[in-house]
Amino acid sequence: MQKTRKGLTPGLIAIVGFLTVCPVVMLILGSFSEGLNAFGTFTLSKYVKAYTDPAFAEILVNTAVFTIGSAIVSTVLALFLAYLNTRTNIPFKFMFRIISLIPMMVPHILFAVSWVLLLNPSNGMINLFLRQVFGWEGAALNIYTLQGMILVEGLLDLPIAYLVIAPAMSAFDVSLEESSKVCGASNLRTLVRITLPVLRPAILAAATLVIVRSLASFAVPSVIGMPGRIYVLATHIYRVVATGYVTDYGMAAAVGMSALAASITLIFLYRHLTREGEKYVTVSSRGYRPSVIDLKGARYPLFGIVALLSFVLIVLPVLVLFYTSVVPYSMVPSAKAFAMMSWKHWIAVLKDPVSLLSLKNSLYLGVGGATLGMILSFFVAYVIVKVRTKAAGFLESLSFLSFSFPGIVVGIGFMWFFVQTPLYATIWALLIGYIATYLPYGIRPLTSAFVQIHSNLEESSRVCGGGPFYTMRRIVIPLLIPGIVSGWILMATMFVRELSLSVVLSRPGTEVLAVQILRFAEDGLWGRLSALGILMIFISTTLVIIASRIGAKLTKVDK
Amino acid sequence: MEISIKGLNKNYYSEGKTIVALDQVDLTIPANRIFTLLGPSGCGKTTLLRCIVGLEMPDSGEIAIGDEVVFSTEKGIYVPPDRRGLGMVFQTYAIWPHMNVFDNVAYPLQTRNEPREEIVRKVAKTLHFVQLDGFEKRPATKLSGGQQQRVALARALIAEPKVILFDEPLSNLDAKLREETRKELRAFLTELKITAVYVTHDRIEALSLSDTVAVMKSGRIIELGTPRGIYFDSDRRFVADFIGRANFIEGKVASVGNGETTVDSAIGAIACEKKINASPGAAVTVCIRPEFIRVLKGDHKVGRNIFRGRVESLVFVGDAYEGEIRVGETLLIFRIEPTTAVREGEEIALHFDPRHCSILLN
Ligand SMILES: Nc1ncnc2c1ncn2[C@@H]1O[C@H](COP(=O)(O)OP(=O)(O)OP(=O)(O)O)[C@@H](O)[C@H]1O
Ligand SMILES: [Mg+2]
């Protein structure tokens, strides 16, 4: 037992180290190389070319505006929601849980597409409606703008900001607020003078995290930004390796270096802020209930806003996609539209060999990748929580490194690696890339599950006469099942929808769902796109349901 | 069953430092009695208990339970905890949250593959014993602290172990429940005639529950005795201080004779009737517990073991007044009946009961 444990840590460090360090090293080497076929021939020309491009300054400005803008949108919304949920008597509080869970339900690319379908200048449904009903000329609303990108990305990252802010808000010591009120300040004044300043570290942490995410975001910049010719770093890299231009992986790597550096810096800032936040927010141990502010007449109007947000975030995209998948071309819902509905696009998708292949590949990657990823995460989490040597601490830092890497940049790094191996253009390349990039999502729920298993629970079983394996089977595994299941679900749904890494690594024969959807979007085949998109949501949802069922069964079984 | 421990050592290494948790512990725990390990936080009580059950591997030494040696570095023996056949109640109770009460309690029998009907019968009997009849189907997460404690006790008892070990089993209960449970536990354990090893840092628990108390300090057993013996007769300042509130007055032995020793101190001569073997001139400390200081009303002259002083503070604690009195430069604590009419600032006379003035060697 002791011996295998000793071997475990170095082995895991080797595997995780390879997964997270390899793409970075290859990215650096690649950025100094002539080209994919001339790996290792040193040159600085790629940097010169990348950073002297006259368009580059504009790209940087766009990136800054886009990321900071989305951070503001999602942080403000998240604050609003978190405040309503933890501090007021708003009705139907379960809605807030749903909002914080949507990232699992609607893939980002589909969310972006549904906004394009509603608001694109030529035939967006809302624009068509405005034209028909009010006789407005041209495009009243145009999604293909920086504002459009910021709005959609901000909504998409809202759950992340919420998950950072809500716990801080509810851990907040209300007596700070109460004493302000005793001093005669109004609710609003208390909010502005006390609550928000005390929560500042959490708010900044949430904003930083959203900036990291929107910097890595590819769905919104590609579906909304590219048609409007608004490029950010991610789409610029994509343009260099995948479209029009002669593909230049060296230059892509050189550009990627700055995205990576920015991400890593921001993640350090984020960790610093969260640590700061823990110092700042005083969590009192007595089991108090935060005093609830009575919203009185504003209760239902405010709830209306929350309901509208959930509708826009969850229901609307699915409705729009489904509607688009059954009408022949973009039109406002009407009697005529209903008369013309058909399964034409669905049939076309189901007959399209590439779409079918992408369905199959994504399903394999989702199920297989999540399973392998969880096995790896299981051992890593075990070492992090239970072994706790210096090496285990190192493994922990290593495994969370990739959390900060933008997918497309990791993709470029892996590209440089896979071209040198027979894995190039196989599904294994995608599998390895996925696990490397999303490993923290598997480890996180498992470490918290392991932490919850107080060592006394195992020890008590040993004293009661249960041997090591009996204890594992009856105590440890059943207690871990919820963590395993939620980690698996998280990984599987992320793999089924994976886009930013796949656009680089996917080759003919290894198409995946999100990439195929992007192709449809580029070709303007909205009907087929929507049909395939609905299938994608269906697959994710089915995986979630099956996994939770199995999890529930396994935890029930006693003895 | 008797437990005998010889020369047990255990060190922990953390952040480059060595922590001596057990330092050459020799101990015999008598059979079928309640034995308590008492000591301040961090003195190694839990470590010793965990070594006995086998959850911790000592660095050296030998442990025998009854006739069976379960651990010995010399003979190279280590019996894992699941084959030592002991019962243990953890400080956290360690109730498995994914099982109901029945499975939690039945677990030790299930590991032995006993027949189902037998298990059902024994669980019902044990739950009845700990007064949890009919709780079988209750999920373990839906139990109060006191109920969890009983489930943990039932689980430790069900396989009828020869020895049961407790690690501060009452520290998670509130004050009132702790007192009730302490009495119950005493009743259970006396009825069962079982060897119980009980760890606590609460002196009242140790005094009221045990037949034998061992006081630990920095990984060593420094005193062993009955609760009364430890409370009244300990001649170590650490023990006297730890086991109850006490006044310590430094002095010199003035005369020895006739079953009485007189000590010269800052507050005057103190007569002690406890036997000691100190010769005149030796530096000693007189220890007197606050409840043996009597307040004398009226104009008492200074006399044998009578001292005068000013009441500095007086606190009403319900069943008594606790106060501080200044005699010369020395501040003494005392404890008197709640009905006594003494006021703060008043000058009063005190009397030390010579039978309860013990002399500690420095
Ligand atoms: N796993 C460990 N690693 C390092 N040091 C430890 C470990 N377990 C205990 N110690 C140290 O050994 C010493 C004795 O610990 P032990 O838990 O036996 O104390 P205790 O008497 O039970 O205290 P308490 O009353 O607080 O429970 C302490 O100094 C403690 O810090
Ligand atoms: Mg302890």
Side-chain angles (χ1 to χ4, degrees):
Chain A
M1 195 74 183
Q2 293 286 335
K3 246 188 202 154
T4 48
R5 241 189 226 183
K6 284 216 177 92
L8 194 57
T9 317
L12 287 172
I13 289 180
I15 296 174
V16 176
F18 163 75
L19 287 174
T20 50
V21 175
C22 163
V24 178
V25 170
M26 293 308 282
L27 188 78
I28 298 173
L29 293 180
S31 70
F32 290 111
S33 298
E34 282 290 352
L36 280 184
N37 303 323
F39 180 69
T41 49
F42 179 82
T43 172
L44 276 177
S45 65
K46 303 299 176 184
Y47 279 95
V48 175
K49 197 168 140 206
Y51 292 98
T52 53
D53 182 354
F56 193 68
E58 194 195 330
I59 289 166
L60 281 186
V61 172
N62 283 344
T63 310
V65 174
F66 171 63
T67 51
I68 296 172
S70 335
I72 294 173
V73 171
S74 38
T75 311
V76 169
L77 280 175
L79 260 177
F80 170 72
L81 290 178
Y83 189 81
L84 285 183
N85 186 17
T86 51
R87 280 286 183 284
T88 69
N89 63 343
I90 192 136
F92 307 113
K93 288 202 170 171
F94 68 91
M95 296 286 283
F96 293 89
R97 243 183 78 74
I98 297 179
I99 291 182
S100 65
L101 286 176
I102 8 154
M104 310 223 324
M105 300 180 195
V106 185
H108 288 194
I109 187 166
L110 295 178
F111 188 76
V113 163
S114 69
W115 282 86
V116 166
L117 293 172
L118 286 172
L119 286 175
N120 80 69
S122 51
N123 59 3
M125 265 181 260
I126 294 180
N127 280 327
L128 288 179
F129 176 79
L130 292 176
R131 246 175 266 167
Q132 279 171 18
V133 178
F134 299 106
W136 290 10
E137 285 302 310
L141 300 164
N142 183 1
I143 190 78
Y144 294 144
T145 56
L146 208 44
Q147 294 93 303
M149 290 167 68
I150 289 173
L151 174 75
V152 176
E153 185 68 35
L155 286 174
L156 276 176
D157 292 336
L158 165 61
I160 296 163
Y162 182 81
L163 288 178
V164 176
I165 291 177
M169 192 86 97
S170 57
F172 173 88
D173 186 355
V174 240
S175 59
L176 295 178
E177 277 185 350
E178 283 163 354
S179 55
S180 156
K181 280 184 213 159
V182 173
C183 295
S186 66
N187 276 342
L188 187 66
R189 205 181 156 75
T190 306
L191 176 69
V192 175
R193 293 288 304 278
I194 309 291
T195 317
L196 293 183
V198 171
L199 288 175
R200 196 174 58 206
I203 294 171
L204 288 176
T208 313
L209 199 55
V210 174
I211 292 181
V212 173
R213 298 296 290 252
S214 49
L215 187 65
S217 162
F218 183 73
V220 172
S222 63
V223 174
I224 299 177
M226 292 204 324
R229 306 199 162 279
I230 302 162
Y231 284 90
V232 294
L233 277 177
T235 37
H236 180 55
I237 295 172
Y238 176 65
R239 174 166 64 167
V240 173
V241 296
T243 56
Y245 290 57
V246 192
T247 62
D248 187 343
Y249 281 89
M251 180 173 151
V255 175
M257 288 299 292
S258 51
L260 189 65
S263 274
I264 293 178
T265 315
L266 286 165
I267 279 295
F268 273 109
L269 179 65
Y270 168 74
R271 289 190 90 156
H272 171 73
L273 285 168
T274 39
R275 232 170 273 147
E276 201 62 357
E278 277 156 20
K279 258 190 271 167
Y280 222 64
V281 175
T282 47
V283 188
S284 75
S285 56
R286 65 206 154 96
Y288 67 89
R289 287 264 315 131
S291 65
V292 161
I293 293 166
D294 189 0
L295 294 172
K296 304 198 186 88
R299 252 185 113 198
Y300 285 94
L302 281 173
F303 173 71
I305 299 178
V306 175
L308 183 71
L309 259 178
S310 341
F311 175 77
V312 164
L313 283 168
I314 306 161
V315 185
L316 189 67
V318 180
L319 275 185
V320 170
L321 287 176
F322 186 73
Y323 173 75
T324 309
S325 76
V326 291
V327 293
Y329 51 87
S330 189
M331 55 172 83
V332 177
S334 62
K336 180 173 153 234
F338 278 95
M340 290 173 75
M341 279 183 180
S342 72
W343 297 108
K344 191 179 95 178
H345 298 306
W346 286 82
I347 294 164
V349 163
L350 292 175
K351 281 191 175 155
D352 173 20
V354 182
S355 298
L356 288 180
L357 182 65
S358 71
L359 260 174
K360 197 181 86 183
N361 283 342
S362 284
L363 195 60
Y364 278 171
L365 284 167
V367 174
T371 309
L372 286 177
M374 282 322 283
I375 293 174
L376 181 59
S377 306
F378 179 89
F379 289 110
V380 174
Y382 175 80
V383 169
I384 290 176
V385 180
K386 298 276 164 173
V387 177
R388 287 182 33 201
T389 53
K390 272 222 178 74
F394 177 65
L395 181 64
E396 180 172 19
S397 316
L398 204 56
S399 66
F400 282 94
L401 202 61
S402 62
F403 186 61
S404 60
F405 296 170
I408 190 153
V409 178
V410 178
I412 302 281
F414 267 126
M415 194 64 190
W416 280 96
F417 172 71
F418 287 132
V419 176
Q420 333 288 333
T421 67
L423 293 174
Y424 177 70
T426 64
I427 200 155
W428 294 101
L430 286 164
L431 187 90
I432 294 171
Y434 283 9
I435 293 179
T437 316
Y438 295 93
L439 195 60
Y441 294 90
I443 295 176
R444 189 69 64 83
L446 273 176
T447 42
S448 46
F450 267 118
V451 166
Q452 275 168 16
I453 305 186
H454 194 288
S455 55
N456 276 1
L457 294 177
E458 289 167 65
E459 288 167 357
S460 160
S461 160
R462 296 298 306 277
V463 177
C464 286
F469 290 104
Y470 193 87
T471 303
M472 188 64 105
R473 181 164 70 77
R474 286 209 52 200
I475 309 293
V476 181
I477 303 260
L479 287 171
L480 276 179
I481 293 273
I484 294 177
V485 169
S486 60
W488 191 90
I489 288 177
L490 205 57
M491 275 195 152
T493 49
M494 287 184 140
F495 289 178
V496 166
R497 75 171 57 155
E498 214 298 321
L499 173 65
S500 54
L501 193 71
S502 316
V503 288
V504 185
L505 292 181
S506 150
R507 300 281 118 179
T510 58
E511 282 90 352
V512 294
L513 274 176
V515 171
Q516 183 61 11
I517 282 174
L518 186 67
R519 301 274 172 272
F520 280 147
E522 283 166 352
D523 298 341
L525 296 170
W526 301 115
R528 291 185 198 189
L529 183 157
S530 305
L532 193 58
I534 298 279
L535 280 175
M536 183 172 178
I537 295 176
F538 178 75
I539 290 181
S540 299
T541 317
T542 315
L543 286 182
V544 172
I545 294 174
I546 293 176
S548 345
R549 280 280 161 80
I550 294 177
K553 265 238 174 75
L554 287 179
T555 18
K556 270 252 174 63
V557 172
D558 263 349
K559 216 175 162 209
Chain B
M1 230 185 266
E2 189 178 271
I3 303 174
S4 69
I5 295 168
K6 284 190 210 113
L8 212 59
N9 285 299
K10 171 82 190 167
N11 293 340
Y12 287 111
Y13 305 94
S14 92
E15 285 153 19
K17 269 186 270 168
T18 306
I19 300 162
V20 183
L22 293 180
D23 186 4
Q24 208 56 35
V25 172
D26 289 300
L27 187 62
T28 303
I29 297 173
N32 304 340
R33 289 290 168 83
I34 305 176
F35 181 92
T36 299
L37 284 168
L38 176 69
S41 190
C43 68
K45 308 177 295 282
T46 300
T47 308
L48 180 53
L49 204 67
R50 289 169 62 86
C51 288
I52 297 174
V53 273
L55 290 170
E56 212 73 65
M57 182 89 84
D59 298 335
S60 62
E62 186 175 300
I63 302 172
I65 299 172
D67 303 328
E68 192 196 355
V69 175
V70 291
F71 176 83
S72 167
T73 29
E74 220 165 82
K75 299 176 195 146
I77 296 174
Y78 168 71
V79 180
D82 42 303
R83 281 192 261 123
R84 292 197 186 181
L86 308 176
M88 176 160 176
V89 176
F90 288 79
Q91 184 170 7
T92 55
Y93 305 144
I95 303 292
W96 298 301
H98 59 299
M99 297 180 182
N100 58 20
V101 169
F102 177 88
D103 281 315
N104 264 288
V105 175
Y107 193 91
L109 305 179
Q110 290 166 352
T111 62
R112 270 153 241 207
N113 285 320
E114 291 204 10
R116 172 92 193 158
E117 316 80 68
E118 189 70 352
I119 293 180
V120 172
R121 193 183 58 76
K122 284 191 184 166
V123 169
K125 189 177 134 221
T126 314
L127 284 179
H128 175 74
F129 182 71
V130 298
Q131 298 163 15
L132 281 178
D133 302 80
F135 272 68
E136 279 94 339
K137 290 273 132 44
R138 187 79 72 93
T141 44
K142 301 221 166 80
L143 294 171
S144 72
Q147 289 165 342
Q148 286 186 29
Q149 200 266 344
R150 287 154 196 244
V151 171
L153 180 63
R155 182 175 66 193
L157 291 175
I158 193 160
E160 292 169 8
K162 295 289 180 308
V163 177
I164 180 166
L165 304 108
F166 297 88
D167 190 0
E168 309 201 20
L170 307 183
S171 61
N172 285 330
L173 304 179
D174 64 55
K176 194 155 164 22
L177 192 58
R178 195 178 319 162
E179 207 176 307
E180 282 167 22
T181 317
R182 195 174 68 216
K183 286 191 197 124
E184 267 175 25
L185 205 56
R186 163 115 209 152
F188 287 153
L189 294 176
T190 321
E191 189 182 331
L192 286 171
K193 293 223 174 6
I194 190 173
T195 307
V197 184
Y198 190 98
V199 160
T200 182
H201 62 250
D202 183 317
R203 57 198 167 84
I204 302 191
E205 242 169 77
L207 293 173
S208 61
L209 203 58
S210 13
D211 299 313
T212 312
V213 179
V215 181
M216 279 188 83
K217 184 188 175 190
S218 327
R220 288 169 168 274
I221 308 272
I222 55 168
E223 190 143 340
L224 194 74
T226 61
R228 286 186 66 86
I230 297 247
Y231 190 82
F232 291 119
D233 301 332
S234 173
D235 49 11
R236 281 189 186 78
R237 181 166 177 162
F238 172 81
V239 177
D241 198 16
F242 190 76
I243 202 84
R245 288 151 57 83
N247 293 297
F248 295 101
I249 306 159
E250 314 277 330
K252 255 200 193 103
V253 177
S255 64
V256 183
N258 231 0
E260 186 176 296
T261 309
T262 312
V263 176
D264 264 339
S265 76
I267 64 170
I270 307 171
C272 307
E273 283 180 15
K274 289 250 165 98
K275 261 192 284 171
I276 61 148
N277 34 12
S279 43
V284 292
T285 304
V286 176
C287 164
I288 173 115
R289 297 202 181 276
E291 60 268 33
F292 298 120
I293 298 181
R294 212 148 44 85
V295 169
L296 309 170
K297 287 296 279 187
D299 261 352
H300 280 275
K301 296 260 162 52
V302 174
R304 182 177 173 255
N305 275 6
I306 293 178
F307 309 96
R308 290 191 73 83
R310 183 181 295 279
V311 180
E312 293 261 314
S313 69
L314 207 56
V315 180
F316 178 61
V317 295
D319 54 347
Y321 272 114
E322 285 180 4
E324 285 174 316
I325 188 163
R326 192 173 290 281
V327 180
E329 292 294 294
T330 315
L331 203 58
L332 301 173
I333 51 173
F334 68 105
R335 191 179 161 89
I336 49 171
E337 295 264 297
T339 48
T340 323
V342 171
R343 258 170 288 132
E344 244 170 74
E346 200 177 342
E347 260 226 359
I348 52 169
L350 301 172
H351 177 249
F352 287 7
D353 185 341
R355 281 169 301 164
H356 291 290
C357 292
S358 30
I359 295 177
L360 314 178
L361 294 171
N362 286 8

